[in-house]
Amino acid sequence: MIAFLSGGTGTPKLLRGIRVHREDRDLAVVVNTAEDIWISGNHLSPDVDTVIYLFAGILDTGTWWGIRGDTFVTHEAILAQGGDEFIRIGDRDRAVHVLRGEALRRGERLTDVTASLCRTLGVEARVLPMADTPVTTLVDTGEGLLHFQEYWVRHRGKVPIREVVRSSREEPRATPEVLDALRGADGVVIGPSNPVTSVSPILECRGVPEALAEQYVVAVSPFIGDRPVSGPAAALMQAFGREPTSAGTAALYGDLVDCFIQDIRDPVQVEGAVRCDTLMVDEKASGALAEQVLRILEKQP
Ligand code: GDP
């Protein structure tokens, strides 16, 4: 079994390629929940949903969120009635958020709710939220704190940010399921997800660094030069006090990583890094990168 640490875009693109070579039931994916948010009374877990939908074969891989071919009747009705639903939520996608919100209100664990959604959607991979208690990534704009979703979706990342703040009522702990998966894996892959908003929240969960220290860990950089392939990772890395590059990413992960992969186009070599074509423009490119990652894992010392 191979374990992955994932956000909602870069690592799912790699998982799409891994699925070409491995059975879903041989994969465990530890997923970031620090972007979770309650909207219109329901619970969105954007990265968890993307990973579930990918394995269920229903993900919209044009946007890497939501369900392919979904309709937006409820969302449009909410807006028409003056509602402030700043995330465009599809109708079938919303059904998942409704069920999850209900279950969480009944006191169920996010891990169990996720497992139950996976069962009904026919997902065979183990999809594991990093923690069962809420953690939220906020950004400080200088005029106050914004939820990451407010920053990125409502404001389209167009407000300057000074600092990244992780907020939680209690210290986040990796769930027993996450620790079992990380400890029992034949190797762990940190996919090319946003180091600040997707990977760090997982690394900050109690128990994760210790579990990774015992494992062979491969990480793929989401940066080429001083730009991420997509999204706000550069601004977030700066606000996190890190260089927005592959070198900055490698330094952030530090000793936890045994093999760091950077793109063949990256102008600055990270010491000891392996070069691969990491631009997953389609399923074939995802499959090719996945094959190289698997080969590195197979040859691990
Ligand atoms: P989020 O939860 O939607 O922010 O998604 P992730 O954190 O999983 O992924 C976002 C990161 O994926 C960004 O920093 C991108 O640079 C990176 N990314 C997206 N597509 C690719 C790709 O094809 N190759 C690489 N190397 N990185 C990618």
Side-chain angles (χ1 to χ4, degrees):
M1 188 261 295
I2 303 170
F4 293 80
L5 308 191
S6 183
T9 308
T11 307
K13 283 189 189 174
L14 179 61
L15 288 166
R16 168 176 69 173
I18 296 283
R19 299 182 78 209
V20 174
H21 308 284
R22 292 290 169 103
E23 300 287 340
D24 288 352
R25 59 174 177 274
D26 294 331
L27 311 176
V29 188
V30 178
V31 190
N32 169 49
T33 57
E35 290 174 31
D36 289 16
I37 189 167
W38 289 84
I39 299 262
S40 306
N42 306 315
H43 190 264
L44 269 78
S45 192
D47 294 352
V48 169
D49 285 340
T50 291
V51 172
I52 292 178
Y53 298 159
L54 173 80
F55 285 111
I58 57 174
L59 178 67
D60 182 339
T61 49
T63 54
W64 291 88
W65 58 265
I67 295 174
R68 196 171 53 240
D70 212 347
T71 52
F72 293 86
V73 176
T74 308
H75 177 69
E76 273 147 26
I78 288 171
L79 295 190
Q81 291 177 50
D84 177 33
E85 190 172 80
F86 68 94
I87 299 182
R88 208 168 122 76
I89 299 168
D91 296 314
R92 290 164 65 209
D93 194 15
R94 187 186 304 274
V96 168
H97 308 157
V98 170
L99 291 170
R100 184 193 288 118
E102 279 291 288
L104 291 175
R105 274 190 286 265
R106 281 196 302 270
E108 286 182 33
R109 296 192 314 147
L110 184 60
T111 300
D112 295 331
V113 183
T114 305
S116 147
L117 289 167
C118 283
R119 265 192 305 277
T120 50
L121 289 167
V123 171
E124 292 187 355
R126 263 192 266 173
V127 181
L128 305 172
M130 64 186 199
D132 280 324
T133 55
V135 189
T136 307
T137 298
L138 306 169
V139 292
D140 184 354
T141 63
E143 288 172 17
L145 293 172
L146 283 182
H147 190 291
F148 174 73
Q149 299 286 356
E150 293 263 356
Y151 162 70
W152 181 236
V153 183
R154 191 195 290 277
H155 297 287
R156 300 183 194 287
K158 289 197 175 122
V159 284
I161 50 172
R162 293 181 173 179
E163 207 186 329
V164 177
V165 177
R166 211 91 63 201
S167 160
S168 64
R169 212 173 290 160
E170 52 194 287
E171 184 199 5
R173 292 162 180 262
T175 63
E177 289 83 352
V178 164
L179 294 179
D180 276 357
L182 294 179
R183 291 186 188 128
D186 300 318
V188 178
V189 179
I190 303 178
S193 282
N194 186 318
V196 180
T197 55
S198 295
V199 179
S200 289
I202 305 176
L203 300 179
E204 289 161 16
C205 288
R206 196 200 280 182
V208 169
E210 293 78 5
L212 293 186
E214 301 294 311
Q215 270 291 2
Y216 189 78
V217 180
V218 178
V220 183
S221 177
F223 282 95
I224 300 180
D226 57 5
R227 286 179 177 206
V229 175
S230 62
L236 284 153
M237 284 287 271
Q238 268 158 343
F240 208 50
R242 297 284 176 169
E243 188 183 276
T245 60
S246 290
T249 306
L252 175 62
Y253 300 162
D255 289 347
L256 292 179
V257 170
D258 299 287
C259 174
F260 189 81
I261 297 177
Q262 65 178 143
D263 194 86
I264 45 172
R265 301 160 189 84
D266 210 323
V268 180
Q269 175 68 34
V270 175
E271 202 189 326
V274 172
R275 295 283 190 155
C276 292
D277 185 346
T278 75
L279 261 188
M280 295 174 281
V281 289
D282 54 23
E283 193 166 355
K284 193 162 163 249
S286 291
L289 177 60
E291 196 176 353
Q292 287 178 284
V293 169
L294 290 171
R295 208 168 294 153
I296 290 169
L297 283 177
E298 276 154 20
K299 284 200 203 138
Q300 67 179 272

